[in-house]
């Protein structure tokens, strides 16, 4: 790429998106649907591969993917989440909530493997924008603002016949390069790394008989450690197996300082399941045996539980941030990928409303999204809806038979309702339809 030269011809501003994850790929599709022709996504990885673990997409995100014409392809490899259950570690049931269509939404909530979601998005980008719109093996390593507000990017080509460094001056830069965003670091050089709260997270995917994992999503634990387990595919094959996503969290055993230093240098570490399995022995919830789920995993990975402090601004001239680069939050409430998708649609809508002034379009996007995401980041630091587990443990540490004697029904409903409103995925808001339009471009 030479400066100011897009990956493919077309009219309008050249918009470069740094990062080919959920946020970046959705942004490319949303911008294309909004009429922008010159959109390029650069991804540091050598290829878009179906890797990672599972995630849940709330109905507000599913609504936006439906508006982009992606729901059928996504559902082909996903599972509708029909119920969420919270448990105390003793096995006592705290609450059970219908989800998606069963809770009155016009769109489902989906459990899906991140790799499947990313493959659907990448396939749509290539089909609609052209294969040259998604460039792998290229990482943004720096950003310098120009006097007219445009960014000058430093790029590192890691793959292909031409390796080395280059520069590029697009009309608009969207930083969608994750929690360790190079774009964010360039805009906020004094910020430092993501803060760690001393907790470790283990994630993995298991393949098990459908009867062994139930038909619901469970979140269980106490005030020290938690487990999340849910199926994310339909039964397949003669053994009727399903993919099961699981994530665990508990404090690190190592001292905070030593643990933080190690984790900063080893972000995504493969570890044997036996490393953490003893902490979850005996955890069983309405027939879902958590240790059995863990033993069925091929691999497990360890992560620090980190987020980002809210920023006072995302937008600098013609450069802005979306997704984890803008507002990485603790993995609570199924809002990471969900809010990245909504960001992407909001960004495209704002730029389309200001076709002659991209900087004002980016500013309008930030005015809509940043206050809401800051509130959600703070809510997740207070455990969001999962606070009911801590409340139950504080009030009845050895378990209970009637949760309403521990947490009144009105209190349970209020906690869930407040969080849904904060994330704008309450039924009343979602069912109004997308505020960003519904036009879907022809493939």
């Amino acid at each position: 790429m030479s400066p100011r030269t897009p990956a493919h011809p077309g009219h309008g501003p050249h918009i470069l998106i740094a990062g080919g994850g959920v946020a970046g790929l959705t942004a490319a599709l949303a911008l294309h649907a909004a009429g922008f022709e010159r959109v390029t996504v650069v991804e540091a990885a050598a290829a878009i591969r179906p890797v990672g673990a599972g995630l849940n997409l709330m109905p507000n995100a599913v609504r936006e993917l439906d508006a982009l014409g992606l729901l059928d392809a996504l559902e082909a490899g996903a599972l509708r989440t029909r119920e969420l259950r919270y448990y105390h570690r003793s096995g006592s049931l705290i609450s059970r909530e219908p989800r998606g269509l069963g809770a009155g939404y016009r769109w489902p909530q989906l459990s899906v493997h991140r790799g499947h979601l990313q493959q659907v998005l990448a396939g749509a980008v290539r089909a609609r924008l052209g294969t040259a719109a998604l460039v792998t093996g290229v990482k943004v390593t720096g950003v310098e603002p120009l006097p007219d507000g445009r960014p000058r990017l430093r790029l590192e080509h890691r793959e292909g016949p031409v390796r080395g460094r280059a520069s590029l001056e697009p009309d608009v830069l969207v930083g969608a390069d994750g929690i360790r965003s190079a774009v964010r670091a360039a805009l906020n050089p004094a910020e430092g790394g993501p803060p760690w709260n001393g907790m470790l997270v283990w994630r993995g995917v298991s393949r098990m008989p459908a009867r062994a994992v139930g038909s619901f999503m469970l979140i269980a634990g106490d005030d020290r450690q938690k487990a999340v387990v849910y199926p994310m595919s339909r039964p397949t094959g003669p053994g009727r197996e399903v993919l099961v996503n699981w994530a665990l969290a508990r404090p690190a055993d190592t001292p905070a300082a030593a643990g933080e230093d190690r984790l900063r240098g080893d972000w995504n570490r493969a570890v044997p399941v036996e490393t953490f399995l003893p902490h979850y022995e005996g955890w069983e919830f309405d027939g879902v045996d958590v240790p059995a789920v863990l033993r069925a995993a091929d691999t497990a990975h360890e992560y620090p539980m980190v987020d980002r402090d809210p920023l006072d601004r995302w937008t600098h001239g013609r450069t802005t941030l979306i997704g984890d680069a803008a507002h990485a939050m603790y993995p609570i409430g199924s809002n990471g990928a969900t809010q990245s998708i909504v960001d992407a649609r909001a960004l495209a809508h704002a730029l389309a409303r200001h076709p002659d002034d991209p900087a004002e379009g980016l500013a309008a996007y930030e005015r809509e999204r940043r206050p809401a995401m800051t509130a959600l980041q703070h809510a997740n630091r207070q455990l969001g809806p999962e606070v009911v587990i801590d409340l139950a443990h504080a009030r009845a540490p050895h378990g209970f038979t009637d949760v309403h004697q521990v947490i009144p029904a009105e209190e349970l409903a209020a906690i869930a309702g407040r969080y849904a409103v904060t994330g704008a995925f309450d039924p009343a808001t979602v069912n109004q339809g997308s505020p960003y339009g519904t036009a879907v471009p022809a493939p």
Side-chain angles (χ1 to χ4, degrees):
M1 296 182 188
S2 61
R4 301 197 68 184
T5 301
H8 51 81
H11 301 287
H14 177 211
I15 303 173
L16 189 136
I17 300 169
V22 173
L25 294 171
T26 308
L29 293 168
L31 288 162
H32 180 249
F36 294 95
E37 299 179 10
R38 300 168 64 203
V39 180
T40 307
V41 180
V42 295
E43 164 57 38
I48 304 294
R49 296 190 177 95
V51 296
L55 52 85
N56 245 252
L57 294 177
M58 303 302 286
N60 53 331
V62 176
R63 177 191 67 189
E64 300 309 325
L65 294 173
D66 189 24
L68 292 173
L70 300 171
L71 184 54
D72 288 346
L74 183 59
E75 283 211 82
L79 184 70
R80 292 186 176 186
T81 311
R82 290 181 167 84
E83 187 178 54
L84 169 62
R85 300 183 187 180
Y86 289 101
Y87 294 90
H88 183 257
R89 68 170 296 166
S90 64
S92 301
L93 179 66
I94 298 171
S95 69
R96 53 192 303 173
E97 307 168 6
R99 311 297 282 186
L101 302 180
Y105 290 93
R106 291 172 52 195
W107 288 269
Q109 179 175 328
L110 296 179
S111 299
V112 61
H113 195 289
R114 180 181 293 274
H116 173 67
L117 172 59
Q118 197 166 359
Q119 289 291 103
V120 168
L121 294 172
V125 167
R126 293 185 174 110
R128 298 177 186 182
L129 284 76
T131 57
L134 178 52
V135 183
T136 57
V138 176
K139 179 179 175 59
V140 174
T141 58
V143 182
E144 174 191 350
L146 297 173
D148 63 359
R150 289 182 302 109
R152 174 180 291 141
L153 281 62
R154 293 193 300 276
L155 303 173
E156 180 181 325
H157 292 253
R158 297 180 166 187
E159 303 290 336
V162 180
R163 299 188 184 188
R165 294 180 174 85
S167 64
L168 186 68
E169 297 174 11
D171 298 299
V172 175
L173 171 63
V174 178
D177 47 344
I179 192 169
R180 301 177 103 176
S181 166
V183 178
R184 177 176 175 135
L187 300 178
N188 303 273
E191 183 180 27
W196 180 43
N197 69 355
M199 298 284 286
L200 292 179
V201 177
W202 296 278
R203 295 183 185 270
V205 176
S206 301
R207 188 178 293 275
M208 301 186 70
R211 64 180 182 279
V213 293
S215 59
F216 51 88
M217 176 181 183
L218 73 83
I219 304 177
D222 56 22
D223 62 344
R224 180 172 172 81
Q225 63 187 65
K226 294 182 174 65
V228 179
V229 180
Y230 56 85
M232 56 179 177
S233 70
R234 301 179 184 89
T236 58
R240 295 183 61 78
E241 289 186 326
V242 298
L243 290 178
V244 184
N245 185 68
W246 53 266
L248 314 171
R250 74 184 310 272
D253 292 328
T254 55
E260 188 168 6
D261 288 344
R262 176 175 63 79
L263 288 163
R264 286 188 187 281
D266 200 0
W267 189 258
N268 178 10
R269 191 166 71 112
V271 297
V273 168
E274 290 72 23
T275 303
F276 50 86
L277 180 60
H279 300 301
Y280 295 88
E281 290 289 0
W283 283 41
E284 184 173 339
F285 308 97
D286 284 335
V288 180
D289 185 334
V290 173
V293 172
L294 303 182
R295 291 188 184 99
D298 291 333
T299 60
H301 287 81
E302 180 182 272
Y303 307 80
M305 186 180 287
V306 297
D307 66 355
R308 280 292 193 181
D309 291 328
L311 290 173
D312 292 332
R313 61 186 294 196
W314 295 350
T315 301
H316 297 249
R318 294 190 181 192
T319 299
T320 197
L321 304 171
I322 65 172
D324 282 352
H327 50 70
M329 57 190 76
Y330 291 155
I332 290 170
S334 303
N335 267 292
T338 290
Q339 298 299 339
S340 295
I341 289 165
V342 178
D343 282 353
R345 290 276 285 157
L347 171 69
H349 182 69
L351 283 172
R353 291 177 57 203
H354 299 85
D356 300 323
D357 192 346
E360 179 52 35
L362 298 184
Y365 150 74
E366 179 178 332
R367 285 195 296 271
E368 177 192 347
R369 295 294 294 164
R370 187 174 60 79
M373 292 303 95
T374 295
L376 198 58
Q377 287 178 285
H378 287 308
N380 278 16
R381 285 184 172 180
Q382 300 301 315
L383 302 182
E386 294 179 20
V387 73
V388 297
I389 295 176
D390 292 59
L391 289 176
H393 186 74
R395 297 173 187 179
H398 303 296
F400 44 85
T401 55
D402 183 359
V403 68
H404 295 143
Q405 294 180 356
V406 179
I407 309 177
E410 296 80 4
E411 186 176 4
L412 285 171
I415 290 169
R418 281 196 302 270
Y419 188 73
V421 170
T422 301
F425 57 86
D426 57 293
T429 299
V430 174
N431 289 348
Q432 292 177 12
S434 175
Y436 310 120
T438 57
V440 179

